[in-house]
Structure formats: structure tokens, C-alpha cells
Amino acid sequence: NNNNTKQPTNFTMVYGLVRSVQAAVKYRGGWKGLLEHMYTNGDYPFKMGTFMGSDAAGNRYYENRIDYPFGQHRWVEPGDIHNYDSSSVAPEWHGWMTSMNDDPPCSEDTFIAEKTETVEQMCRSDAPDKSNLGLMDTDNIYNFHDLHNQSQIRSRGYGIGNPIVGLPPGVKDGFYTQPGSPYNEASIRPLEFVGSLDKDGGRSFKNSKWAERLRTAEEKKAMVDEQVGEVKSMADMFGSVNAKRGGGRGGTSVGN
């Protein structure tokens, strides 16, 4: 009896798995799409829901409130499966993803239009929009490789770029820097030389400390010998002056 019970159960499990694979292949547009999503995340290939919209980066957002519990009923499938993290979720979709609101961004235009109908314009305006509520000029917004976190767009070393996010060598970093920061272009002073140790300008320097580091050991020894010679000549000069004035004239005698 137990064997007879297990046999239909096993058949049902296998049949259900086969049907899930068939549905996933159809839902993903073929085996390539299925394998691609299996590479992205093992949960996505067999997770199906209602397509709610997409963002500028190609991320696709889905919802299924029937088959999945709260917290798992909304998910995003990345547009770029090779370079994706949680910061790739567009800000306008973040509130919907975390269940802060139930209206996806695609329906916000209707919501804003209904709310602004009750807002009377108090003065004349030549602005193309009735109000600035939810206004976002999406046509002129550009994020490097659709990365919403611009702090990721920085070189991994001086002038070498960042192959992780696709930043070419020698290209300026994309993140904002405060005025006064050494990475802010306005704070970088141009390099100006004040002299050179060579006649041809080969060892140029911008201050005395820089020049000291550029000098060789022989040059440093020659400078020390020259300074010692100057001190000796000055001592001899003061000694000859004192001798001409009478040596110890003006001294005080002690005792008898």
C-alpha cells in the first residue's frame, strides 16, 4: 500500500516539475532566456508574475500576490546581469519594491494629474508644467551606464579607469566632490616650477624642499663644504677686526 501511495506522489512531483520547466521556457522566451535567468538567480527562472514596468536601465519589475507571501511578491530582474547590485534599482521604483506604496511609477502620472487638478494657480506663469509636483525631466537625465549610485563611477587607480563599471582609462570620475576637496578640479592648483638644478631644466623644482630631494649626495656634500668655508671666512674676518681694535680692550680686571 505504501508503494502504491508513493508512486502517484512521485509521478505528480515529476509532472509538476516538467510543467514548471515548460512554463518557464515559454515565459522566458526560450532556453536562452531561461539559462540566462538561472545564471542570474536560481529563483527567477521559475518565478512568474505580472510585468509592472521597467526603468531606463532595462530593469524589469514584476509582482505576484497570489503565489508568493508578502516580502517575496515583488521582485526585479536586472537589465545587465553581469553588473548589478541593489543600488541599480531606480529611485522611483524603490518605494514600490519595498512596499512603501502600491502604485508603480507608471501610474504616478495619473495620480499627480488628479491631485494637481485641485491646486489652483495663484499667479501667472510661463512654465510648461502646472506644478513641480513629481516633475522629473527624464529626457535630459543621464547616468553613466545607468548607475544610480554615482559614487561607483571612480577610477580604481590614477588614470587606469574602472573596468568593473566600464569607466575607460583617463576619464573623469563621475561622483560629486565638495569644493576644497583634493579631487575637485577647482581645488587643484597648476604645477609651477621656480627653478632647476640643471641648465637644461631636467631637474625642475617648485620649492626648496623639492630641490633638496633632487640633489645627489655629492651635491649635498659640496653645499655643506661651501657653507663650512663661508663660516670659516666669516670667523677669520671677525677675528681680524677684533685684533685691529686691540683684542681685549674694555675688559675688567679682577684681583690685584
Side-chain angles (χ1 to χ4, degrees):
N1 292 334
N2 292 335
N3 294 333
N4 295 333
T5 304
K6 289 182 180 180
Q7 187 173 1
T9 303
N10 295 335
F11 174 78
T12 303
M13 292 176 59
V14 173
Y15 178 77
L17 178 61
V18 172
R19 294 295 295 171
S20 297
V21 172
Q22 291 177 342
V25 171
K26 182 179 180 181
Y27 188 75
R28 300 299 174 186
W31 285 102
K32 180 181 179 182
L34 178 62
L35 295 176
E36 180 181 283
H37 283 79
M38 289 179 66
Y39 166 76
T40 305
N41 190 307
D43 188 31
Y44 289 152
F46 305 101
K47 194 170 185 178
M48 305 174 193
T50 303
F51 176 71
M52 303 301 293
S54 61
D55 57 24
N59 301 320
R60 301 174 298 277
Y61 299 87
Y62 295 87
E63 183 180 42
N64 187 340
R65 300 187 180 186
I66 298 176
D67 300 325
Y68 303 105
F70 183 84
Q72 301 178 12
H73 64 298
R74 294 174 181 172
W75 69 93
V76 55
E77 297 182 0
D80 184 2
I81 62 175
H82 302 290
N83 184 27
Y84 178 82
D85 58 23
S86 58
S87 65
S88 300
V89 175
E92 60 268 21
W93 281 95
H94 184 267
W96 179 83
M97 281 285 297
T98 55
S99 299
M100 297 175 65
N101 56 68
D102 293 328
D103 292 324
C106 54
S107 63
E108 288 182 353
D109 292 339
T110 304
F111 172 78
I112 293 173
E114 293 176 353
K115 293 300 181 181
T116 53
E117 284 296 328
T118 60
V119 179
E120 296 185 3
Q121 194 166 351
M122 303 301 294
C123 58
R124 180 182 176 276
S125 174
D126 295 325
D129 298 276
K130 184 177 179 181
S131 70
N132 64 344
L133 180 61
L135 178 62
M136 187 172 67
D137 189 4
T138 55
D139 295 333
N140 296 323
I141 290 180
Y142 171 75
N143 288 341
F144 183 82
H145 285 193
D146 299 306
L147 293 173
H148 304 287
N149 184 3
Q150 297 293 289
S151 64
Q152 295 178 335
I153 308 172
R154 63 175 67 194
S155 178
R156 297 177 67 87
Y158 181 76
I160 66 174
N162 190 340
I164 304 300
V165 299
L167 185 68
V171 177
K172 178 185 174 183
D173 296 339
F175 65 95
Y176 173 77
T177 55
Q178 293 279 355
S181 168
Y183 300 102
N184 191 305
E185 290 184 349
S187 304
I188 300 177
R189 294 179 296 178
L191 181 60
E192 298 178 355
F193 296 107
V194 298
S196 175
L197 299 178
D198 301 326
K199 294 181 179 180
D200 59 355
R203 291 183 295 169
S204 301
F205 57 88
K206 65 176 185 178
N207 52 45
S208 58
K209 289 185 178 180
W210 195 325
E212 182 66 19
R213 289 194 292 265
L214 292 176
R215 291 190 179 95
T216 62
E218 292 77 9
E219 291 175 338
K220 292 179 181 180
K221 184 177 183 303
M223 288 185 62
V224 172
D225 294 340
E226 183 180 355
Q227 293 175 357
V228 171
E230 291 177 357
V231 171
K232 287 183 178 181
S233 61
M234 292 179 65
D236 294 341
M237 182 181 65
F238 284 120
S240 60
V241 170
N242 289 335
K244 290 180 181 179
R245 291 181 177 180
R249 181 172 56 88
T252 302
S253 60
V254 179
N256 296 329

